[in-house]
Amino acid sequence: MTWLPLLAAGPALAATTSRPWGVLCVGLLAAVLGAVLGIRDGVPGHELAIVLSALVAVTLASGLASALRVRRERVLAAVRSVAEAAQHALLKPVPATVGPFQVAVRYSAADAEARIGGDLYALVPTPYGVRLIVGDVRGKGLPAVGTAALVLGVFREAAYDEPDLLDVVGRIERSLARNLGPDDFVTAVVAGYPGAGRMEVVNCGHAPPLMVRDSHVMAVAPTHPTPPLGLRALTGETPSLQTLPFTDGDQLLLYTDGVTEARNHEREFYPLAERVARHMSDEPSRTLAALHDELLAYVGGRLHDDAALLLLRKPAAVGSAPAAESRASVGEPTRPSLLQ
């Protein structure tokens, strides 16, 4: 009689993994087992009836809990499918080759269940060359996702329409000025490859891209710092266009602050420049896979902010001679401490 009530643990635990019919079967088995043991050991009838009634009540309650759990799982599955569809619509998959470039992208939302966040990226071939954007929206949650969708939509349209990269940035700025609140903004790097071995970059308050050339990693710091998108009206400053030599074998890494501000258990920032030099290869996808895996290990398996990485590489043309274009210096190799 002392141990018979423990049979109620069967249907209670079954509710966490089984469907309602499975819970009822476990409850029925527990009731039959309790009746057999009670009769064998001579438990008084009224006491055995109380135990069996308790088993029936626990079984019915567990069956109801199981039904509610199954319903919540179906709703969650539907929400996840919608989130995946939204991610593919917002952050469209980037092919391994775009125009003359090899491309790789890695994106991790801070909330793994959300799949998408406030970081954004896009890379599109246009009549004016390949153009791309990597940015970070202030804030988190659905408002940040909505702002990211707005920026990407305007960018994809303007990239096809505007011959000048600064005009692309201007259209994004005007759209944000109409739709954002006074405290909202977006940091971003907008780049374009019009051809002839040069890359155009407009940095709007974002982390400087990293140029990889001849195994050296260099930060492409803006010559004239520009405020983030959405804040031009407060400062009156206009973005400036920076032109970089970009020839065969060069690579350009764009990222968000979720990467460089990731901390380990000792509260040290992730040394991106140092790790890029360590993992750099001729295959962007392999490079970013190694960086992403190391970043997750560095922070203990989970990021606390959205993180995006986009790596662009210009491979040498098959059968061509080494590039004779001038490889002017972008800047001195950046030490990891400067990026921290």
Side-chain angles (χ1 to χ4, degrees):
M1 185 58 198
T2 303
W3 299 102
L4 282 181
L6 291 179
L7 291 172
L13 294 176
T16 62
T17 58
S18 302
R19 292 184 174 274
W21 281 111
V23 175
L24 294 178
C25 289
V26 174
L28 178 62
L29 178 62
V32 171
L33 183 60
V36 171
L37 293 177
I39 294 174
R40 187 196 68 177
D41 295 336
V43 175
H46 68 281
E47 294 183 2
L48 183 59
I50 293 175
V51 172
L52 295 180
S53 298
L55 279 174
V56 171
V58 171
T59 299
L60 293 178
S62 300
L64 177 60
S66 175
L68 295 176
R69 177 184 57 79
V70 171
R71 182 180 178 182
R72 286 195 298 269
E73 287 178 350
R74 289 175 179 172
V75 173
L76 180 59
V79 170
R80 284 177 174 173
S81 65
V82 172
E84 289 177 356
Q87 182 184 37
H88 284 290
L90 179 61
L91 302 175
K92 296 181 179 179
V94 175
T97 302
V98 179
F101 299 110
Q102 295 174 312
V103 186
V105 174
R106 283 280 177 161
Y107 180 85
S108 297
D111 187 350
E113 299 298 334
R115 307 295 178 94
I116 54 179
D119 287 2
L120 58 97
Y121 64 84
L123 188 146
V124 293
T126 73
Y128 313 105
V130 175
R131 289 176 168 176
L132 61 144
I133 183 173
V134 171
D136 187 0
V137 179
R138 176 187 178 274
K140 297 181 180 180
L142 289 178
V145 174
T147 302
L150 173 63
V151 172
L152 290 175
V154 177
F155 169 77
R156 291 184 177 119
E157 288 292 329
Y160 277 91
D161 297 340
E162 302 293 347
D164 193 328
L165 193 65
L166 286 175
D167 292 335
V168 176
V169 177
R171 281 182 57 171
I172 299 174
E173 176 69 35
R174 290 192 295 273
S175 179
L176 291 179
R178 292 192 302 267
N179 293 279
L180 290 188
D183 298 328
D184 296 328
F185 58 86
V186 180
T187 66
V189 171
V190 183
Y193 184 80
R198 60 190 177 91
M199 180 74 70
E200 297 177 343
V201 177
V202 181
N203 191 328
C204 299
H206 199 73
L210 297 180
M211 174 79 79
V212 182
R213 172 175 296 161
D214 299 330
S215 301
H216 296 291
V217 180
M218 299 162 282
V220 184
T223 54
H224 299 286
T226 305
L229 296 168
L231 298 181
R232 186 187 301 181
L234 299 179
T235 63
E237 298 181 14
T238 58
S240 61
L241 187 69
Q242 188 174 3
T243 302
L244 314 171
F246 199 77
T247 57
D248 293 346
D250 289 348
Q251 302 190 52
L252 187 67
L253 176 65
L254 293 89
Y255 55 93
T256 59
D257 59 7
V259 178
T260 53
E261 294 181 1
R263 298 173 183 257
N264 60 9
H265 64 281
E266 296 178 354
R267 308 301 296 168
E268 297 173 338
F269 290 113
Y270 180 68
L272 179 60
E274 174 188 333
R275 304 305 169 87
V276 168
R278 178 185 303 177
H279 297 294
M280 189 55 61
S281 68
D282 291 341
E283 298 181 13
S285 59
R286 186 171 65 183
T287 301
L288 288 196
L291 278 175
H292 186 262
D293 292 343
E294 186 180 60
L295 177 63
L296 291 180
Y298 188 85
V299 299
R302 182 178 179 181
L303 294 170
H304 297 286
D305 193 8
D306 303 330
L309 292 159
L310 189 152
L311 182 59
L312 201 69
R313 179 178 184 270
K314 189 174 186 299
V318 178
S320 64
E325 302 174 44
S326 172
R327 289 175 172 264
S329 174
V330 179
E332 292 300 321
T334 301
R335 293 171 293 182
S337 60
L338 296 180
L339 288 177
Q340 294 175 6

